[in-house]
Amino acid sequence: MGVLIGSHLLAVTLGFFLDKLIGDPPHWPHPVRWIGTYISKLTNGLNKGSKRTAKGFILLLLVVLPTFLVAALLSFTAYWWNPAAGVAVETVLIAIGLAQKSLRTAALDVAKPLMAKDMKEARVKLSWIVGRDTDRLDESEITRGVVETVSENISDGVTAPLFFAFILGAPGLWLYKAVNTLDSMVGYKDDRYRQFGTASARADDVLNFIPARITGFFILILSKNEGGIPLRKRLEGWRTDAKKHPSPNSGYLEAATAWQLGVQLGGTNSYKGVASRRPKFGPNLQKLTAIHIDQTLVQLKRAASGVWALGIIIGGIIYAIA
């Protein structure tokens, strides 16, 4: 038992740092794309007629169970064949399920032209990672788009899958990734997906509940207090502002970032010319500028490292007991 736990902790650690160093080569095939294609085909066949809520639950099962089982089969077979092969396979499965480097790269692709005052290029690059209209945004609003995207995806792309990797190994990580991909594709509240995407959206809310709160807390205690606000006040502001967000989890990430940076996030976004007003988070002590993108990436690094360290500590205790 102890050997298995030790091998698992080693695989999670290697996968975590491998993703940080190498990331996902842009032109390589990726399981998330395969899952997305599978979801699209199932959606075309199921999202019609009556009983769409029930059909959405069927979609959830048809995507999550095979994804979990494939990852479990690959990991189990490799460990059965050879422990070193098991660590290697699980390491790769974990590394490709995390998004530290790709999230950082996407943010810097916007930050670089923004720092050079090339607003046109910055707006184009921002449009690649957000759904809002970007063609008229100024530096502050471009920065807000990047900071909000990185904040939300710290959990979705890094700490939540890492959390489930510690609990259930590579199969747990890919169970989470399947649910998160479903939510991103069908978890909308529009006429097409309001009923059909309910099961996927609720599952994503449940799986992100603990990771989002741990991540937000680590942002507040592990990254630099850029606004100079006392910790107690930041914690109070974080908890209060987080509840304003329509998502039960995303607010804990955006609010933590806003209070730690001393800025304001949220506000009005435009989608295809239609204004959408969101709650505002943070103390608004300073105007958002490109430098805040770099500071948010530091938060990403430290929160992710905090979740990894927490998992290693708890796993090490279990290993010692076993």
Side-chain angles (χ1 to χ4, degrees), residues 94-107:
I94 289 170
I96 62 178
L98 300 174
Q100 297 170 90
K101 187 170 183 179
S102 58
L103 185 55
R104 176 180 176 82
T105 299

Side-chain angles (χ1 to χ4, degrees), residues 83-286:
V87 171
V89 169
E90 191 174 20
T91 293
V92 172
L93 289 174
I94 289 170
I96 62 178
L98 300 174
Q100 297 170 90
K101 187 170 183 179
S102 58
L103 185 55
R104 176 180 176 82
T105 299
L108 290 176
D109 282 345
V110 183
K112 289 175 182 177
L114 190 60
M115 293 287 285
K117 303 301 179 183
D118 185 349
M119 306 304 291
K120 182 178 180 180
E121 181 68 8
R123 290 169 184 143
V124 170
K125 292 296 178 63
L126 178 62
S127 71
W128 294 0
I129 61 173
V130 300
R132 70 192 68 174
D133 300 335
T134 64
D135 54 316
R136 297 182 180 179
L137 300 184
D138 60 13
E139 179 180 355
S140 178
E141 286 298 297
I142 292 172
T143 300
R144 179 167 73 87
V146 178
V147 170
E148 289 175 354
T149 298
V150 172
S151 297
E152 290 189 20
N153 283 285
I154 290 175
S155 181
D156 284 354
V158 184
T159 56
L162 183 63
F163 176 85
F164 286 100
F166 273 113
I167 295 174
L168 292 172
L173 180 149
W174 282 101
L175 180 150
Y176 171 81
K177 294 295 288 185
V179 171
N180 190 246
T181 305
L182 277 163
D183 180 60
S184 69
M185 294 181 67
V186 303
Y188 297 101
K189 295 182 179 180
D190 56 18
D191 292 338
R192 183 181 182 188
Y193 294 116
R194 182 174 289 108
Q195 294 178 324
F196 186 68
T198 297
S200 295
R202 294 294 177 270
D204 188 72
D205 288 344
V206 170
L207 294 186
N208 272 301
F209 188 88
I210 294 175
R213 285 154 179 78
I214 293 175
T215 303
F217 181 69
F218 278 169
I219 288 172
L220 288 166
I221 65 170
L222 297 180
S223 60
K224 185 177 179 181
N225 176 17
E226 302 290 350
I229 303 170
L231 178 60
R232 182 174 179 179
K233 186 174 181 180
R234 279 181 281 136
L235 288 171
E236 290 175 353
W238 172 55
R239 289 192 296 265
T240 300
D241 281 357
K243 296 173 184 178
K244 299 176 184 177
H245 202 287
S247 164
N249 301 313
S250 295
Y252 285 89
L253 303 164
E254 288 191 33
T257 294
W259 278 93
Q260 197 68 359
L261 295 180
V263 300
Q264 185 177 83
L265 299 178
T268 301
N269 299 326
S270 176
Y271 297 90
K272 296 181 179 179
V274 179
S276 174
R277 292 173 176 80
R278 296 177 55 187
K280 295 180 180 179
F281 312 97
N284 196 22
L285 299 180
Q286 53 184 310

